Structures are given as C-alpha cells and as structure tokens.
Amino acid sequence: VVEKVMTDRFDYKQIKLKKDERITINEFAIANPCGKYVVHTRGHLVTIEDGLYYDSWDSGKKKIDYYFEK
C-alpha cells in the first residue's frame, strides 16, 4: 500500500537497495544533503529532507531497505 500511495498519489520514485548497498538512515541523510526522501526500514518509515531525518525516536542506526525520492 505504501508503495502505491507514494508513487501514484505523491509522485515519488521508488529506489530498492540490494543487500550489499544498504546503509543507515544517518549515513543516507549525510550522503544526501539536498532533496526530499521517505525511507523504509523494516516496518518503519522515516522522512529525510535536506540532510535531516525526522522521526519520533532516533532511528539513525537502522538500515534502509528502500526509499522514495521526490
């Protein structure tokens, strides 16, 4: 459901990572200082905007499975 809503309704592009490409949310935020992203990490979604991630707890050490890019 998340994938369909993000791609169809909000026009985000989904990028799936291979197992050896997976990095942490913190590493991803540092590597992407510009842009809007929604990242998925095992049952959890996190928003990253211009290099800062927004979550209700510090999920920075969690590995990303895939992400959506605006």
Side-chain angles (χ1 to χ4, degrees):
V1 173
V2 171
E3 293 147 1
K4 185 158 181 61
V5 170
M6 292 301 294
T7 57
D8 293 352
R9 184 168 178 156
F10 294 111
D11 199 33
Y12 275 72
K13 179 182 175 187
Q14 183 182 23
I15 314 289
K16 292 186 179 183
L17 301 175
K18 295 178 183 174
K19 191 172 185 177
D20 62 333
E21 297 175 325
R22 293 178 64 212
I23 60 174
T24 66
I25 291 171
N26 190 46
E27 291 168 332
F28 184 90
I30 290 168
N32 294 279
C34 296
K36 294 179 182 181
Y37 307 91
V38 176
V39 300
H40 178 272
T41 177
R42 298 200 184 179
H44 189 65
L45 294 170
V46 179
T47 301
I48 298 176
E49 186 171 345
D50 296 334
L52 300 173
Y53 61 93
Y54 299 90
D55 204 347
S56 58
W57 55 284
D58 187 0
S59 58
K61 294 181 181 178
K62 297 287 184 182
K63 295 256 183 166
I64 296 172
D65 296 317
Y66 59 87
Y67 65 94
F68 299 95
E69 178 178 41
K70 189 69 169 174

